[in-house]
Amino acid sequence: MSAPIRYYYDLMSQPSRALLIIFRLSNMPFEDCVVALRNGEHLTDDYKREINRFQRVPCIHDNGYKLAESVAILRYLSAKGKIPEHLYPKYFVDQSRIDEFLEWQHMTLRLTCAMYFRTVWLEPLLTGKTPTEAKIEVMRMHMERNLDVVEEVWLEGKDFLTGNSLTVADIFAACEIEQTRMADYDVRIKYPKIRAWLKRVRQSCNPHYDVAHEFVYKISGTGPQAKL
């Protein structure tokens, strides 16, 4: 009998949270291997040599096979039958719609939410320098262009991003959007469809969703039930 995969992650990382939720919804055994990014554990030569040559999280080790990048990990484990088809279907038509979102979001929603978070919260923490209001506004504008697309296109006429049931697309997207809480951005104010959708995603994924976002809730000072 093969050993469970080793999962290297940090809950500060959006895709790390997404995979953690997916794994737990899938009832997939895995070994917790928490990496403290804040302590630079991923930057050591040992980590690069033994864990992940790209020195990032998340990544997995599956009986000696090393794989990085969250979507690649998802597809690999789906091909092995570890991810239930209601989350990531094997039928190519249904799967392609989810893949369409995953490909779209990487350089749009993910990039701009991450850059907003980095500009407003992470860089000031690391450097002690406060960004200008002009820079914050530019980052917010880029982010909201993609939030507009989620609100007006992806959530048009349906409860979830790719249909009327939860898939991995919703989990990846929700984890990206939740990250902006730590930068004092409340997506619920401007986007009613996203607000209702986030509530549905959380309800569909709990208790795993709240566990994965404990750090986000703590840093932002806004729990999942926080009122507008």
Side-chain angles (χ1 to χ4, degrees):
M1 183 176 180
S2 62
I5 69 163
R6 304 186 73 187
Y7 180 45
Y8 296 86
Y9 70 97
D10 186 326
L11 294 181
M12 272 286 290
S13 154
Q14 305 93 301
S16 286
R17 295 197 299 271
L19 284 182
L20 181 70
I21 294 167
I22 292 165
F23 291 174
R24 289 188 170 164
L25 287 174
S26 303
N27 294 315
M28 187 188 76
F30 63 92
E31 181 183 343
D32 262 315
C33 300
V34 177
V35 180
L37 298 180
R38 62 193 177 280
N39 296 333
E41 290 181 1
H42 60 306
L43 300 177
T44 66
D45 290 339
D46 284 347
Y47 189 91
K48 183 177 183 179
R49 182 175 58 254
E50 303 293 339
I51 309 301
N52 181 358
R53 56 188 172 161
F54 303 117
Q55 296 185 279
R56 302 174 68 178
V57 292
C59 63
I60 63 169
H61 288 189
D62 185 13
N63 290 293
Y65 181 66
K66 302 174 183 179
L67 187 63
E69 299 300 323
S70 57
V71 174
I73 293 167
L74 166 74
R75 291 170 177 158
Y76 170 78
L77 293 171
S78 171
K80 291 192 70 173
K82 302 294 187 181
I83 308 298
E85 290 199 47
H86 68 272
L87 290 177
Y88 190 65
K90 292 189 184 303
Y91 178 53
F92 73 97
V93 173
D94 296 336
Q95 187 183 101
S96 67
R97 185 63 69 199
I98 296 169
D99 286 342
E100 180 184 38
F101 178 82
L102 294 175
E103 298 292 346
W104 173 82
Q105 67 100 29
H106 195 73
M107 294 300 292
T108 52
L109 183 70
R110 169 162 170 69
L111 177 64
T112 54
C113 285
M115 289 304 298
Y116 184 84
F117 163 74
R118 184 178 183 87
T119 299
V120 176
W121 190 83
L122 186 58
E123 288 182 356
L125 181 69
L126 296 175
T127 67
K129 298 179 181 179
T130 302
T132 65
E133 288 298 322
K135 184 175 183 180
I136 293 173
E137 178 61 20
V138 168
M139 294 296 104
R140 185 193 60 77
M141 180 183 66
H142 289 324
M143 179 178 67
E144 288 188 346
R145 284 176 181 167
N146 293 298
L147 290 171
D148 288 344
V149 177
V150 174
E151 179 86 359
E152 297 166 9
V153 178
W154 288 106
L155 288 173
E156 178 61 31
K158 50 191 183 294
D159 288 340
F160 294 93
L161 294 173
T162 62
N164 287 315
S165 60
L166 177 87
T167 72
V168 297
D170 300 285
I171 298 170
F172 275 100
C175 289
E176 296 296 338
I177 292 173
E178 291 281 18
Q179 191 85 346
T180 64
R181 283 178 182 253
M182 292 193 288
D184 294 326
Y185 185 86
D186 193 340
V187 69
R188 300 173 303 166
I189 294 172
K190 189 174 181 179
Y191 298 100
K193 289 181 185 177
I194 293 177
R195 178 175 69 241
W197 162 77
L198 279 173
K199 185 176 181 180
R200 288 191 290 271
V201 174
R202 175 177 173 262
Q203 289 173 339
S204 298
C205 295
N206 259 346
H208 313 304
Y209 192 92
D210 283 350
V211 170
H213 286 91
E214 280 180 356
F215 184 79
V216 173
Y217 298 154
K218 179 179 178 181
I219 294 297
S220 67
T222 59
Q225 303 287 2
K227 296 181 179 180
L228 295 175

